[in-house]
mmCIF file of all heavy atoms in Angstrom:
data_model
loop_
_atom_site.group_PDB
_atom_site.id
_atom_site.type_symbol
_atom_site.label_atom_id
_atom_site.label_comp_id
_atom_site.label_asym_id
_atom_site.label_seq_id
_atom_site.Cartn_x
_atom_site.Cartn_y
_atom_site.Cartn_z
ATOM 1 N N VAL A 514 49.098 30.464 -10.916
ATOM 2 C CA VAL A 514 47.915 30.912 -11.751
ATOM 3 C C VAL A 514 46.655 30.488 -10.974
ATOM 4 O O VAL A 514 46.539 29.343 -10.544
ATOM 5 C CB VAL A 514 47.984 30.319 -13.152
ATOM 6 C CG1 VAL A 514 46.693 30.619 -13.907
ATOM 7 C CG2 VAL A 514 49.184 30.856 -13.894
ATOM 8 N N ALA A 515 45.751 31.417 -10.799
ATOM 9 C CA ALA A 515 44.617 31.197 -9.900
ATOM 10 C C ALA A 515 43.621 30.196 -10.447
ATOM 11 O O ALA A 515 43.120 29.385 -9.688
ATOM 12 C CB ALA A 515 43.916 32.543 -9.613
ATOM 13 N N GLU A 516 43.271 30.311 -11.702
ATOM 14 C CA GLU A 516 42.273 29.437 -12.327
ATOM 15 C C GLU A 516 42.732 28.965 -13.696
ATOM 16 O O GLU A 516 43.302 29.731 -14.449
ATOM 17 C CB GLU A 516 40.954 30.169 -12.469
ATOM 18 C CG GLU A 516 40.286 30.656 -11.220
ATOM 19 C CD GLU A 516 39.008 31.426 -11.515
ATOM 20 O OE1 GLU A 516 38.533 31.386 -12.667
ATOM 21 O OE2 GLU A 516 38.467 32.022 -10.575
ATOM 22 N N VAL A 517 42.368 27.727 -14.031
ATOM 23 C CA VAL A 517 42.617 27.193 -15.387
ATOM 24 C C VAL A 517 41.384 26.455 -15.848
ATOM 25 O O VAL A 517 40.841 25.604 -15.145
ATOM 26 C CB VAL A 517 43.824 26.274 -15.396
ATOM 27 C CG1 VAL A 517 44.080 25.788 -16.823
ATOM 28 C CG2 VAL A 517 45.090 26.985 -14.947
ATOM 29 N N HIS A 518 40.909 26.787 -17.067
ATOM 30 C CA HIS A 518 39.742 26.192 -17.627
ATOM 31 C C HIS A 518 40.024 25.755 -19.065
ATOM 32 O O HIS A 518 40.774 26.427 -19.787
ATOM 33 C CB HIS A 518 38.545 27.117 -17.613
ATOM 34 C CG HIS A 518 38.252 27.732 -16.307
ATOM 35 N ND1 HIS A 518 37.466 27.118 -15.343
ATOM 36 C CD2 HIS A 518 38.592 28.917 -15.745
ATOM 37 C CE1 HIS A 518 37.346 27.872 -14.279
ATOM 38 N NE2 HIS A 518 38.041 28.967 -14.483
ATOM 39 N N ILE A 519 39.383 24.645 -19.464
ATOM 40 C CA ILE A 519 39.355 24.217 -20.888
ATOM 41 C C ILE A 519 37.923 24.202 -21.330
ATOM 42 O O ILE A 519 37.102 23.540 -20.700
ATOM 43 C CB ILE A 519 40.020 22.835 -21.063
ATOM 44 C CG1 ILE A 519 41.476 22.816 -20.598
ATOM 45 C CG2 ILE A 519 39.895 22.383 -22.528
ATOM 46 C CD1 ILE A 519 42.142 21.455 -20.636
ATOM 47 N N ALA A 520 37.624 24.951 -22.361
ATOM 48 C CA ALA A 520 36.199 25.180 -22.701
ATOM 49 C C ALA A 520 35.994 25.520 -24.158
ATOM 50 O O ALA A 520 36.914 25.729 -24.912
ATOM 51 C CB ALA A 520 35.668 26.316 -21.831
ATOM 52 N N ASN A 521 34.723 25.520 -24.516
ATOM 53 C CA ASN A 521 34.312 25.992 -25.831
ATOM 54 C C ASN A 521 34.641 27.487 -25.970
ATOM 55 O O ASN A 521 34.739 28.192 -24.968
ATOM 56 C CB ASN A 521 32.799 25.757 -25.963
ATOM 57 C CG ASN A 521 32.289 26.201 -27.335
ATOM 58 O OD1 ASN A 521 31.890 27.328 -27.489
ATOM 59 N ND2 ASN A 521 32.232 25.295 -28.267
ATOM 60 N N SER A 522 34.762 27.943 -27.172
ATOM 61 C CA SER A 522 35.184 29.355 -27.410
ATOM 62 C C SER A 522 34.127 30.348 -26.929
ATOM 63 O O SER A 522 34.392 31.523 -26.789
ATOM 64 C CB SER A 522 35.497 29.597 -28.864
ATOM 65 O OG SER A 522 34.381 29.244 -29.692
ATOM 66 N N ASP A 523 32.875 29.911 -26.658
ATOM 67 C CA ASP A 523 31.832 30.783 -26.153
ATOM 68 C C ASP A 523 31.975 30.985 -24.645
ATOM 69 O O ASP A 523 31.250 31.810 -24.045
ATOM 70 C CB ASP A 523 30.439 30.165 -26.445
ATOM 71 C CG ASP A 523 30.130 30.109 -27.908
ATOM 72 O OD1 ASP A 523 30.637 30.959 -28.660
ATOM 73 O OD2 ASP A 523 29.391 29.190 -28.319
ATOM 74 N N PHE A 524 32.928 30.280 -24.017
ATOM 75 C CA PHE A 524 32.985 30.283 -22.546
ATOM 76 C C PHE A 524 33.300 31.655 -21.973
ATOM 77 O O PHE A 524 32.833 31.981 -20.885
ATOM 78 C CB PHE A 524 34.061 29.257 -22.108
ATOM 79 C CG PHE A 524 34.266 29.130 -20.626
ATOM 80 C CD1 PHE A 524 33.238 28.702 -19.825
ATOM 81 C CD2 PHE A 524 35.478 29.478 -20.039
ATOM 82 C CE1 PHE A 524 33.456 28.545 -18.449
ATOM 83 C CE2 PHE A 524 35.665 29.376 -18.679
ATOM 84 C CZ PHE A 524 34.647 28.885 -17.892
ATOM 85 N N VAL A 525 34.071 32.442 -22.692
ATOM 86 C CA VAL A 525 34.444 33.770 -22.108
ATOM 87 C C VAL A 525 33.229 34.623 -21.877
ATOM 88 O O VAL A 525 33.240 35.528 -20.980
ATOM 89 C CB VAL A 525 35.468 34.487 -23.009
ATOM 90 C CG1 VAL A 525 36.820 33.750 -23.022
ATOM 91 C CG2 VAL A 525 34.952 34.686 -24.411
ATOM 92 N N ASN A 526 32.178 34.427 -22.626
ATOM 93 C CA ASN A 526 30.970 35.212 -22.479
ATOM 94 C C ASN A 526 29.913 34.517 -21.635
ATOM 95 O O ASN A 526 28.902 35.101 -21.273
ATOM 96 C CB ASN A 526 30.364 35.576 -23.841
ATOM 97 C CG ASN A 526 29.300 36.620 -23.761
ATOM 98 O OD1 ASN A 526 29.403 37.592 -23.077
ATOM 99 N ND2 ASN A 526 28.196 36.364 -24.496
ATOM 100 N N ALA A 527 30.112 33.208 -21.350
ATOM 101 C CA ALA A 527 29.127 32.431 -20.608
ATOM 102 C C ALA A 527 29.880 31.442 -19.697
ATOM 103 O O ALA A 527 29.841 30.248 -19.939
ATOM 104 C CB ALA A 527 28.193 31.686 -21.587
ATOM 105 N N PRO A 528 30.527 31.951 -18.647
ATOM 106 C CA PRO A 528 31.371 31.076 -17.809
ATOM 107 C C PRO A 528 30.652 30.036 -17.019
ATOM 108 O O PRO A 528 31.308 29.153 -16.428
ATOM 109 C CB PRO A 528 32.107 32.084 -16.899
ATOM 110 C CG PRO A 528 31.206 33.265 -16.886
ATOM 111 C CD PRO A 528 30.551 33.332 -18.238
ATOM 112 N N THR A 529 29.339 30.026 -17.017
ATOM 113 C CA THR A 529 28.601 28.984 -16.287
ATOM 114 C C THR A 529 28.250 27.773 -17.172
ATOM 115 O O THR A 529 27.689 26.795 -16.696
ATOM 116 C CB THR A 529 27.285 29.537 -15.683
ATOM 117 O OG1 THR A 529 26.467 30.065 -16.759
ATOM 118 C CG2 THR A 529 27.568 30.670 -14.678
ATOM 119 N N THR A 530 28.602 27.891 -18.441
ATOM 120 C CA THR A 530 28.314 26.763 -19.363
ATOM 121 C C THR A 530 29.201 25.566 -19.033
ATOM 122 O O THR A 530 30.220 25.679 -18.362
ATOM 123 C CB THR A 530 28.498 27.167 -20.811
ATOM 124 O OG1 THR A 530 29.840 27.674 -20.995
ATOM 125 C CG2 THR A 530 27.505 28.232 -21.188
ATOM 126 N N LEU A 531 28.797 24.378 -19.534
ATOM 127 C CA LEU A 531 29.556 23.131 -19.314
ATOM 128 C C LEU A 531 30.985 23.316 -19.834
ATOM 129 O O LEU A 531 31.217 23.700 -20.956
ATOM 130 C CB LEU A 531 28.831 22.018 -20.028
ATOM 131 C CG LEU A 531 29.293 20.569 -19.740
ATOM 132 C CD1 LEU A 531 29.026 20.233 -18.277
ATOM 133 C CD2 LEU A 531 28.546 19.638 -20.704
ATOM 134 N N HIS A 532 31.960 22.967 -18.965
ATOM 135 C CA HIS A 532 33.374 23.042 -19.333
ATOM 136 C C HIS A 532 34.194 22.223 -18.377
ATOM 137 O O HIS A 532 33.670 21.648 -17.423
ATOM 138 C CB HIS A 532 33.842 24.503 -19.309
ATOM 139 C CG HIS A 532 33.827 25.139 -17.944
ATOM 140 N ND1 HIS A 532 32.672 25.652 -17.366
ATOM 141 C CD2 HIS A 532 34.819 25.313 -17.050
ATOM 142 C CE1 HIS A 532 32.977 26.103 -16.190
ATOM 143 N NE2 HIS A 532 34.263 25.888 -15.954
ATOM 144 N N THR A 533 35.484 22.231 -18.572
ATOM 145 C CA THR A 533 36.426 21.508 -17.671
ATOM 146 C C THR A 533 37.214 22.479 -16.847
ATOM 147 O O THR A 533 37.876 23.369 -17.430
ATOM 148 C CB THR A 533 37.361 20.592 -18.456
ATOM 149 O OG1 THR A 533 36.638 19.648 -19.244
ATOM 150 C CG2 THR A 533 38.312 19.875 -17.558
ATOM 151 N N THR A 534 37.197 22.324 -15.554
ATOM 152 C CA THR A 534 38.022 23.109 -14.670
ATOM 153 C C THR A 534 39.166 22.227 -14.127
ATOM 154 O O THR A 534 38.906 21.107 -13.704
ATOM 155 C CB THR A 534 37.205 23.695 -13.503
ATOM 156 O OG1 THR A 534 36.231 24.589 -13.992
ATOM 157 C CG2 THR A 534 38.107 24.458 -12.516
ATOM 158 N N LEU A 535 40.382 22.783 -14.141
ATOM 159 C CA LEU A 535 41.535 22.039 -13.639
ATOM 160 C C LEU A 535 41.936 22.530 -12.246
ATOM 161 O O LEU A 535 41.903 23.732 -11.969
ATOM 162 C CB LEU A 535 42.741 22.263 -14.555
ATOM 163 C CG LEU A 535 42.780 21.553 -15.957
ATOM 164 C CD1 LEU A 535 42.795 20.075 -15.804
ATOM 165 C CD2 LEU A 535 41.659 22.012 -16.827
ATOM 166 N N THR A 536 42.260 21.647 -11.326
ATOM 167 C CA THR A 536 42.782 21.945 -10.031
ATOM 168 C C THR A 536 43.905 20.996 -9.689
ATOM 169 O O THR A 536 44.049 19.920 -10.313
ATOM 170 C CB THR A 536 41.704 21.877 -8.919
ATOM 171 O OG1 THR A 536 41.250 20.514 -8.793
ATOM 172 C CG2 THR A 536 40.539 22.789 -9.226
ATOM 173 N N LEU A 537 44.699 21.380 -8.744
ATOM 174 C CA LEU A 537 45.779 20.477 -8.297
ATOM 175 C C LEU A 537 45.243 19.331 -7.447
ATOM 176 O O LEU A 537 45.811 18.292 -7.354
ATOM 177 C CB LEU A 537 46.828 21.260 -7.515
ATOM 178 C CG LEU A 537 47.648 22.277 -8.328
ATOM 179 C CD1 LEU A 537 48.561 23.061 -7.406
ATOM 180 C CD2 LEU A 537 48.457 21.561 -9.400
#
C-alpha cells in the first residue's frame, strides 16, 4: 500500500491539514 494516513474526517478534502502519516 503506497500511503497510509490517520487523520480527522475533514482530511479527504484538505490533505495538507495536520495529521499523522505512517511509514516503514
Side-chain angles (χ1 to χ4, degrees):
V514 173
E516 298 179 9
V517 179
H518 307 276
I519 299 176
N521 182 272
S522 57
D523 295 330
F524 180 64
V525 293
N526 192 43
T529 60
T530 55
L531 191 65
H532 65 279
T533 301
T534 296
L535 286 297
T536 64
L537 291 176

